[in-house]
Amino acid sequence: MKAAVLHEIGGVPRYEEFPDPVARDDEVVIEVKAVAVENVDKRIAAGTHFASRQYTAQLPAIPAFDGIGALPDGTLVGFGNPRPPYGALAEKTVVPKGSYVPITEGIDPAVATVLGTAITGMSIKTGAGFVPGETVLVQGATGVAGRLAVKVARLLGAGRIIATGRDDDQLRQVQALGADETINTAVSDEALTQAYLDAERDGYDVVLDFLWGRPTEILLRSLVPQSFAFRKPTRLIQIGESAGAELSLAAESLRTSGVEIYGAAKGLNPETMQEVYGQVVTWTRSGDLTFDVVKVPLSDIETAWQRTDLRGSRLVVVP
Ligand SMILES: NC(=O)c1ccc[n+]([C@@H]2O[C@H](COP(=O)([O-])OP(=O)(O)OC[C@H]3O[C@@H](n4cnc5c(N)ncnc54)[C@H](OP(=O)(O)O)[C@@H]3O)[C@@H](O)[C@H]2O)c1
């Protein structure tokens, strides 16, 4: 079969022949239909992700650990957990029996690869208990997940949506998608603090944080009240770290603002996952939620892997 083959950690996968996978007793071979290439796949291939050792212990290997494919009986499924060195970026892969769920009919497999990213936006509800009318700040709104989060917040009935990014052109696009106001974080610390203060008005109810690092450190500092006053607590959902893996949190920020910080996994269980998945599928089928995907053939993987021009659109490989 043809596959995207990684020969060395930190290398670029090449379109090559690779032996067909053979299923063991407890496995099934999947015919791959679509695979989203995300930062996490590149970090695994680069050896900078905690799961790198799991997926690249044996080289050559095929990158990507999930996708959309067909079971031997033709059923379309979302699959995960392929047995290394097999990965998703190939014509076929092999996964444990049961490591897949049927995908809803009527949704393009390329779009289905991005549904999980839209579900991250739903964590304002599952993690922070968002209710319609509340003010939502999306930190890092110009990426794929951030843009979908803005759309999801709008669909869930946010009162006001503030979106942050570091590029004015990208921020204008995010405003067209439903953000009411934008903040460019590529300014001095003082100017950014002021921008957060100016935009908050009567407070941010929920922050969906894809950035962490410097912008979120400044945001948390800006939540400290300017006088002895009771603040409406902000609930911050931590979900990404595009701007940094760590930040410094002053005790004062926590103590005086009453900010509540949760991980995006809060509130997730099989029931809530089913509920939010169902909601995202309903919006997708009705056309209320749209996805920007750029489809490329597997044969183009070497060029596609190195693309940096897809800001806000998901690269989806279609074998
Ligand atoms: N995709 C998912 O399903 C998923 C699920 C859970 C968590 N996450 C996490 O969420 C984050 C975003 O994921 P994504 O799929 O949306 O990625 P993406 O499309 O590559 O977007 C990355 C975003 O981060 C911004 N950014 C990158 N470096 C930055 C920096 N140094 N300072 C400030 N902003 C910076 C980018 O801004 P520019 O547009 O200016 O480049 C862009 O808005 C990642 O940390 C990811 O691991 C993603």
Side-chain angles (χ1 to χ4, degrees):
M1 68 169 179
K2 293 291 189 191
V5 183
L6 183 75
H7 288 268
E8 56 185 3
I9 304 287
V12 174
R14 297 200 296 257
Y15 180 66
E16 288 175 359
E17 278 295 327
F18 202 83
D20 277 21
V22 178
R24 298 173 182 159
D25 282 353
D26 55 347
E27 293 178 336
V28 64
V29 169
I30 303 268
E31 190 186 328
V32 180
K33 300 290 185 194
V35 180
V37 178
E38 299 192 21
N39 295 327
V40 61
D41 302 306
K42 295 185 180 173
R43 287 180 56 206
I44 288 173
T48 57
H49 191 272
F50 67 85
S52 296
R53 239 187 305 161
Q54 177 187 354
Y55 288 105
T56 58
Q58 186 186 334
L59 290 172
I62 299 170
F65 55 85
D66 61 6
I68 305 296
L71 295 176
D73 68 3
T75 309
L76 269 188
V77 293
F79 66 85
N81 203 17
R83 165 166 51 86
Y86 293 99
L89 281 171
E91 289 175 330
K92 293 176 198 164
T93 193
V94 62
V95 303
K97 276 185 184 154
S99 193
Y100 40 77
V101 286
I103 67 159
T104 314
E105 275 179 35
I107 296 184
D108 176 357
V111 166
T113 64
V114 199
L115 295 183
T117 303
I119 286 173
T120 64
M122 296 294 281
S123 63
I124 64 172
K125 196 172 164 193
T126 50
F130 165 88
V131 292
E134 288 193 310
T135 297
V136 177
L137 171 65
V138 180
Q139 276 276 76
T142 57
V144 178
R147 284 170 193 245
L148 284 168
V150 168
K151 293 181 188 179
V152 164
R154 191 88 284 160
L155 287 165
L156 285 173
R160 211 157 55 91
I161 301 172
I162 299 98
T164 72
R166 51 183 182 168
D167 178 279
D168 285 336
D169 285 342
Q170 301 280 322
L171 284 171
R172 270 189 284 277
Q173 292 174 19
V174 173
Q175 204 148 9
L177 299 178
D180 297 294
E181 290 164 47
T182 61
I183 295 174
N184 190 328
T185 59
V187 294
S188 69
D189 291 4
E190 295 70 29
L192 183 55
T193 304
Q194 194 56 49
Y196 283 131
L197 290 172
D198 290 345
E200 73 170 353
R201 296 197 211 148
D202 60 346
Y204 302 113
D205 295 301
V206 179
V207 177
L208 190 53
D209 176 44
F210 293 102
L211 295 181
W212 210 238
R214 173 186 170 266
T216 301
E217 183 171 320
I218 293 173
L219 169 69
L220 288 166
R221 229 183 285 142
S222 80
L223 297 180
V224 174
Q226 312 284 304
S227 59
F228 286 109
F230 295 113
R231 270 196 75 104
K232 183 170 63 166
T234 294
R235 292 108 70 200
L236 184 147
I237 298 290
Q238 203 322 287
I239 192 158
E241 51 181 72
S242 294
E246 293 177 9
L247 58 65
S248 168
L249 175 61
E252 183 190 45
S253 290
L254 207 54
R255 188 174 62 239
T256 60
S257 70
V259 63
E260 298 165 16
I261 303 178
Y262 309 109
K266 179 174 179 273
L268 286 184
N269 56 46
E271 289 77 43
T272 53
M273 269 310 279
Q274 203 172 349
E275 193 185 315
V276 295
Y277 178 76
Q279 178 63 83
V280 165
V281 165
T282 302
W283 285 330
T284 305
R285 295 180 76 158
S286 64
D288 290 320
L289 185 61
T290 54
F291 297 80
D292 291 322
V293 297
V294 173
K295 296 187 207 179
V296 297
L298 183 60
S299 54
D300 284 356
I301 188 63
E302 205 168 328
T303 321
W305 188 264
Q306 299 175 82
R307 279 180 75 167
T308 54
D309 60 325
L310 292 172
R311 300 168 84 190
S313 300
R314 183 65 83 217
L315 177 72
V316 179
V317 172
V318 184

